[in-house]
Amino acid sequence: MRRAGGNDAKEGKKPWKHGSNGKIQKVSEQLQEQRRNLPIAKGADALIREIKSNDTLVLLGETGSGKTTQVPQYILESGVLGSGMIAVTQPRRVAATSLAARVAAEQGCSVGDRVGYAVRFQEAYGPETKIKFLTDGMLARELLADPLLSKYSVIILDEAHERTLNTDLLMASLKGIQEARKGNTKVPHSGKGKERADNSSCGALKVIIMSATLDAEKFSRFFGNAKIIYVKGRQHPVKIYHTVTGQNDFVDAALRTFFQIHVDQPPGDVLIFLPGQEDIESLEKSISSYASQLPLGKSRVVVCPFYASMPQDKQNKVFSPTTNGQRKCILSTNIAETSITIPGVRYVIDTGVHKEKRHLAGVSGSGFNTLLVCAISKSSAMQRAGRAGREGPGFCYRLYPESAFRDLPDTSEPEIMRCSLASATLRLKCLQRDFFDLELLDKPDGSAINAGMKTLWMLGALDTEGNLTPTGRAMSLFPVEPQQSRALLESRIHGCTREVLAIVAIQSASSKVFYDPGSGSAADSNEPGSRDIERRDQAQAARAKFIHISGDHMTLLNVFRAYEDLLKSSGGDSKSAKAERRDWCNRHFLHERALTEALDIQTQLRRICDTMRGREASFGLSDPNIELDWRSSVAEGPGSTVEAEKVLKCLMTGLVQHGALRSAERGYCPIMDKSKTIKIHPSSTLAGKKFDAIMYDELLFTNSGSTYARCVSAIPTSIISDLSAYRPRST
Ligand code: CDP
Ligand code: MG
């Protein structure tokens, strides 16, 4: 993965770096003053004493009290750390990068120096780094290479109340690691099956669990009644309004509510919670367009979108205060609920929904997650309202009736209880563990655990006894979904690694490559959108030249290649070259950032392929009958049917559970559950067409009861009947 420096470090640098010395002094003094005034500051000394005398602490405090930004710095400044590092985990990448930027600014260093971060496919840290913000998924991956997490002296699991799968798994692992590092037990060493002789050489490990809600006791009990520390926050009263009836179109309701506030209410910024990037982009457009029609003096609205894949350079806008009486309107996903506090907010508009990762019920055991728009919990609704009362009395407008609030569940179900366990099982197997023997806060039931194992078995990653196979170990080296790493491994047999890499890279980018003008939709965001159908048609026409007859996967490859060609013809960093590329992307309704990110991801995945090249034997992957080729492209060249067939064959080894056959009477029936019927999503290039067999990346389950396949390719039926042939070879 990428090391410190490069653009990331630069992007994270303080804006005042280029200013005069006097200005630097002033900004830095301001920051220090803000630090001293945070609610947590008063208890800093006592907190450090507790950290010194306890191995594990649970720290509970209201959002904005200073837990995430201050505790790592207090620890650093107190000298408890020794030669080790502090890891601070976050469920979301944008939180990790943006908090690293803030803490680096407070420390007066650049991101990547004393303070750094690591999120998937993007890192900024170096030998100097002492405080590292990282996603919980990244720390879980670090466990594979270093099962004792020996680099770290302190690990802070932040936002534990969110109960992500990775945070839950880390909690389970950390307990064992603490014991092992005290020398009490042994932790099996990854990969080689050896036991570490000296577990205690890296010293004791301190663990701090941080949470913004009142679930501390459960965490404390899990860690043998660990001490709980409460930080008192500042919270002003928030007046809450509900709508009289439910709203069909929350984007439209949010738009109207915003302008009511903007026109009638005194100054103060507005924070609107929306489920995802599409709704955010759609509302951003409407607000900007209506604002420009307001009479002069009322039109001063600054719209700031804020979501997981926000480019870093745009994040600053969210935090900087507005001038000249402008009103800032922040359109955010859950990220602003507890992870990130945005100053200046006085009004909150709560749509009452968020996106939740779910393992689709109904198509049993098919081993994948999908994001669904779901109602939030009471706890989330209260956190959202709380964001209005950070700096003074505030107002929260819920776009749902009070009765609906009362019907909400108290808290969200932990992710571990509702999502596919395949990827996590593969990692656990590499550490010679599995879900059955793990002590967890909440344990998924046996059928979910078995479904995860079955997926891995179908991918050839586990044998019939549930033991890790060489294929499984090789798959675990790639930081992508098992379905994707399986396809990558298969590609070396068919000589189309370059093509499969490109497709996997584009799918792993943090935002989608296709910009769909009409995708922000109403109350049921899972339903294919109804807005802006005209603009959507326009987008489809502009992208027609990329369409590959076989469907969406090869179409993605064509887009990737077209962008690569463009880079060759108008490469370089000159203003005009950049403008040309931007213009090309706009004309084709493509997100350029997704493409540049995909190029970068491709390079990183390529490196992993290269390290395995020629070492197949050490993975037990060599086969004298098959010529392995990690590098080359399909000899017949781009666009040939041979090429498409080979690439799709590889992808299908990963998507073994995602095939469907068409029956004349019922349409497409998934091979894993033939009693169901699915449709091709309207966003697919194959929408409305009929084929004997298809494969798809994911199913989307709409609230009205339909199931749509997204990212679809037509495949020869023979590929599906061939699939069982893949397994024996790899076990
Ligand atoms: O973790 P917790 O919610 O307790 O608070 P925090 O994230 O440490 O934030 C402490 C303070 O820093 C808040 O008042 C934020 O407004 C401020 N902050 C900021 O102004 N800009 C950032 N990029 C991050 C935090
Ligand atoms: Mg925090």
Side-chain angles (χ1 to χ4, degrees):
M1 306 298 104
R2 196 193 312 165
R3 281 269 133 186
N7 291 332
D8 301 316
K10 250 183 258 149
E11 277 164 8
K13 274 180 188 166
K14 300 137 300 214
W16 41 266
K17 192 80 188 180
H18 311 287
S20 71
N21 269 342
K23 200 172 165 199
I24 293 176
Q25 206 69 41
K26 198 164 154 228
V27 177
S28 151
E29 267 163 30
Q30 255 174 17
L31 277 181
Q32 297 315 320
E33 176 70 21
Q34 276 176 25
R35 284 189 70 190
R36 282 192 294 273
N37 285 331
L38 284 169
I40 202 166
K42 280 195 281 309
D45 294 338
L47 185 61
I48 286 300
R49 278 198 298 278
E50 295 293 357
I51 292 173
K52 281 184 177 158
S53 52
N54 291 283
D55 282 341
T56 310
L57 279 183
V58 179
L59 183 60
L60 200 80
E62 236 150 68
T63 305
S65 52
K67 300 183 297 298
T68 311
T69 54
Q70 304 310 305
V71 175
Q73 297 186 76
Y74 296 159
I75 295 173
L76 182 66
E77 286 152 12
S78 73
V80 228
L81 207 52
S83 58
M85 282 160 71
I86 309 173
V88 188
T89 67
Q90 295 294 321
R92 297 180 196 79
R93 48 191 288 140
V94 68
T97 54
S98 120
L99 287 160
R102 171 70 180 192
V103 174
E106 291 184 7
Q107 283 282 311
C109 69
S110 299
V111 177
D113 294 348
R114 199 153 57 248
V115 183
Y117 68 79
V119 300
R120 193 169 73 138
F121 297 122
Q122 199 186 329
E123 305 187 330
Y125 63 88
E128 303 285 301
T129 303
K130 298 301 274 180
I131 301 176
K132 185 161 140 194
F133 286 90
L134 70 187
T135 51
D136 48 11
M138 281 301 280
L139 191 62
R141 280 204 71 80
E142 286 192 9
L143 263 176
L144 292 181
D146 178 9
L148 289 176
L149 295 174
S150 52
K151 289 196 285 294
Y152 303 103
S153 308
V154 179
I155 290 181
I156 301 179
L157 296 185
D158 201 2
E159 306 285 303
H161 63 272
E162 289 208 18
R163 301 292 310 278
T164 60
L165 172 64
N166 282 318
T167 296
D168 272 16
L169 281 175
L170 282 169
M171 243 181 265
S173 303
L174 289 181
K175 242 172 108 161
I177 293 172
Q178 279 184 313
E179 286 303 303
R181 282 176 49 169
K182 278 187 210 152
N184 295 346
T185 53
K186 293 192 170 184
V187 162
H189 190 29
S190 149
K192 289 137 195 139
K194 281 184 224 145
E195 304 260 315
R196 280 227 166 161
D198 181 11
N199 288 329
S200 51
S201 61
C202 43
L205 174 68
K206 292 203 182 281
V207 173
I208 303 173
I209 311 291
M210 299 206 299
S211 166
T213 61
L214 295 162
D215 40 18
E217 256 138 50
K218 189 164 182 172
F219 300 130
S220 157
R221 274 198 304 277
F222 186 75
F223 280 94
N225 296 322
K227 184 150 192 182
I228 305 177
I229 302 201
Y230 299 88
V231 186
K232 215 173 143 29
R234 272 181 223 118
Q235 183 63 42
H236 300 272
V238 174
K239 180 145 181 52
I240 295 174
Y241 301 95
H242 291 92
T243 55
V244 180
T245 54
Q247 302 295 309
N248 288 329
D249 184 339
F250 57 75
V251 175
D252 186 55
L255 176 72
R256 282 182 283 120
T257 311
F258 170 74
F259 279 102
Q260 274 165 20
I261 297 171
H262 181 58
V263 173
D264 296 339
Q265 302 296 323
D269 295 340
V270 182
L271 169 62
I272 309 182
F273 286 100
L274 292 150
Q277 185 178 346
E278 294 89 15
D279 296 300
I280 288 175
E281 283 173 351
S282 143
L283 185 57
E284 181 187 8
K285 278 214 194 69
S286 324
I287 293 183
S288 306
S289 124
Y290 282 101
S292 64
Q293 294 164 26
L294 286 178
L296 225 63
K298 278 280 176 206
S299 59
R300 300 156 182 257
V301 179
V302 180
V303 192
C304 304
F306 198 39
Y307 47 81
S309 58
M310 272 294 282
Q312 252 165 359
D313 47 344
K314 291 215 179 119
Q315 286 172 22
N316 287 342
K317 192 173 154 199
V318 177
F319 295 105
S320 33
T322 50
T323 47
N324 305 331
Q326 288 169 321
R327 196 192 294 272
K328 190 157 67 173
C329 176
I330 304 130
L331 312 179
S332 173
T333 60
N334 262 353
I335 178 85
E337 199 174 287
T338 61
S339 310
I340 301 279
T341 309
I342 301 163
V345 174
R346 188 161 179 212
Y347 306 93
V348 163
I349 301 176
D350 174 13
T351 56
V353 280
H354 68 166
K355 271 194 186 167
E356 205 170 80
K357 208 190 269 176
R358 276 204 174 263
H359 194 175
L360 188 77
V363 182
S364 54
S366 57
F368 68 97
N369 297 311
T370 186
L371 280 174
L372 291 182
V373 176
C374 306
I376 56 171
S377 65
K378 277 201 188 82
S379 163
S380 285
M382 281 163 355
Q383 281 294 335
R384 288 179 174 191
R387 300 304 106 242
R390 270 275 297 146
E391 290 161 18
F395 303 87
C396 173
Y397 300 80
R398 291 186 176 149
L399 303 180
Y400 43 95
E402 197 168 358
S403 59
F405 172 77
R406 282 195 299 267
D407 291 342
L408 293 176
D410 288 343
T411 53
S412 301
E413 194 181 11
E415 196 177 277
I416 205 167
M417 308 302 278
R418 57 178 154 83
C419 76
S420 160
L421 303 176
S423 180
T425 303
L426 181 61
R427 283 200 316 259
L428 286 173
K429 286 284 178 185
C430 291
L431 295 165
Q432 289 148 35
R433 308 290 299 267
D434 62 37
F435 273 101
F436 288 112
D437 74 6
L438 213 58
E439 193 194 334
L440 289 159
L441 271 170
D442 286 288
K443 202 158 184 128
D445 54 62
S447 63
I449 300 176
N450 283 326
M453 304 259 282
K454 182 177 169 191
T455 295
L456 293 176
W457 172 74
M458 291 192 76
L459 293 172
L462 298 181
D463 64 18
T464 39
E465 260 87 63
N467 299 313
L468 193 67
T469 63
T471 303
R473 181 163 302 285
M475 278 163 59
S476 76
L477 300 180
F478 295 93
V480 295
E481 289 297 309
Q483 286 82 355
Q484 298 171 319
S485 53
R486 180 65 186 86
L488 275 174
L489 281 183
E490 191 70 14
S491 72
R492 80 216 140 98
I493 292 165
H494 297 287
C496 54
T497 303
R498 196 186 295 274
E499 290 77 9
V500 176
L501 263 181
I503 295 173
V504 169
I506 225 172
Q507 292 182 323
S508 303
S510 53
S511 61
K512 276 186 274 177
V513 66
F514 292 131
Y515 165 64
D516 276 319
S519 63
S521 90
D524 184 354
S525 265
N526 299 321
E527 203 73 58
S530 52
R531 273 162 202 259
D532 284 7
I533 291 176
E534 215 173 288
R535 288 266 292 163
R536 183 186 276 192
D537 288 348
Q538 222 178 324
Q540 278 175 0
R543 293 194 296 242
K545 64 174 162 198
F546 305 124
I547 290 178
H548 190 282
I549 181 173
S550 69
D552 301 327
H553 295 95
M554 293 301 290
T555 300
L556 283 178
L557 178 60
N558 285 343
V559 171
F560 188 87
R561 278 179 171 151
Y563 189 71
E564 272 184 328
D565 288 346
L566 179 71
L567 273 180
K568 272 184 217 134
S569 64
S570 76
D573 279 339
S574 75
K575 250 191 179 157
S576 63
K578 278 185 180 165
E580 188 184 333
R581 293 198 293 269
R582 199 178 321 123
D583 180 53
W584 183 86
C585 289
N586 287 342
R587 269 187 289 124
H588 294 100
F589 293 83
L590 302 173
H591 280 299
E592 184 170 18
R593 203 163 37 78
L595 286 163
T596 50
E597 210 187 319
L599 280 170
D600 187 39
I601 293 173
Q602 184 209 31
T603 312
Q604 297 187 39
L605 292 175
R606 161 110 270 155
R607 245 177 255 147
I608 301 175
C609 293
D610 287 347
T611 58
M612 292 177 71
R613 199 166 163 234
R615 287 176 53 219
E616 278 83 4
S618 65
F619 285 96
L621 286 172
S622 51
D623 182 336
N625 300 315
I626 300 171
E627 198 186 330
L628 298 176
D629 192 348
W630 279 107
R631 279 216 162 252
S632 73
S633 288
V634 179
E636 284 79 2
S640 72
T641 41
V642 180
E643 178 194 57
E645 213 175 295
K646 286 186 168 183
V647 172
L648 295 179
K649 216 167 183 172
C650 295
L651 294 178
M652 190 65 198
T653 57
L655 298 174
V656 280
Q657 294 173 304
H658 299 187
L661 293 166
R662 195 170 63 87
S663 82
E665 321 74 73
R666 300 194 15 239
Y668 296 104
C669 307
I671 47 176
M672 296 303 289
D673 187 348
K674 298 209 177 72
S675 66
K676 295 272 179 307
T677 312
I678 59 174
K679 297 177 197 160
I680 298 179
H681 195 271
S683 66
S684 167
T685 54
L686 300 185
K689 301 200 178 96
K690 289 187 177 139
F691 305 94
D692 291 339
I694 54 168
M695 67 173 181
Y696 47 86
D697 278 359
E698 59 168 5
L699 289 181
L700 212 61
F701 190 64
T702 69
N703 299 356
S704 61
S706 303
T707 307
Y708 289 95
R710 230 183 9 197
C711 198
V712 184
S713 286
I715 47 169
T717 352
S718 60
I719 295 193
I720 289 190
S721 46
D722 256 10
L723 283 174
S724 58
Y726 287 107
R727 272 193 311 276
R729 186 167 62 219
S730 47
T731 51

